[in-house]
Amino acid sequence: LTCVVSPDILIRHDRDDRAYRALAEPFTAVARIGRAGAGVLVAPQWVATAAHVGMGFRRELGVSVGSRRFDVADVIAHPDWKETGGPAAADLALIRLSAPVTGVEPVGIYDGN
């Protein structure tokens, strides 16, 4: 079995790329951060991600939601996050986009068990 590693998924040579795209279709609020990071749209102008992603990407690459690219206005890391380590629970960041995303429903707070 031959596989190609992508920044987001494992792609198998014996599967059609349409199958991977079909899996992603319901998740329109997923954001691509820079070249290899990912996050999720949680409000029209805010993306939640890991602090090591939010603080480590080249901001000039922007954030993409759907087919639109957005400039980054600000990145706010959890106050307990440290680049050299720290509690795993603090590896959180919010990215404020330069403009609100329209046409994509942000992910709500999970209210299940």
Side-chain angles (χ1 to χ4, degrees):
L1 178 66
T2 303
C3 296
V4 177
V5 177
S6 156
D8 300 314
I9 61 173
L10 195 65
I11 299 172
R12 291 176 43 169
H13 78 287
D14 60 340
R15 298 287 188 259
D16 192 301
D17 287 348
R18 288 178 294 199
Y20 297 109
R21 288 191 292 273
L23 285 172
E25 285 174 7
F27 305 104
T28 58
V30 172
R32 182 178 223 34
I33 300 168
R35 287 198 176 113
V40 64
L41 188 69
V42 294
Q45 209 164 339
W46 292 92
V47 172
T49 189
H52 72 269
V53 171
M55 303 307 285
F57 82 106
R58 290 179 34 211
R59 292 186 187 191
E60 65 271 13
L61 295 175
V63 173
S64 297
V65 179
S67 61
R68 293 183 54 205
R69 184 193 166 284
F70 296 86
D71 289 331
V72 173
D74 200 10
V75 179
I76 303 165
H78 188 287
D80 293 335
W81 182 78
K82 295 174 183 61
E83 191 170 346
T84 58
D91 191 12
L92 300 168
L94 288 171
I95 298 174
R96 184 168 57 91
L97 304 175
S98 60
V101 176
T102 57
V104 175
E105 184 72 27
V107 172
I109 295 174
Y110 178 70
D111 60 3
N113 292 323

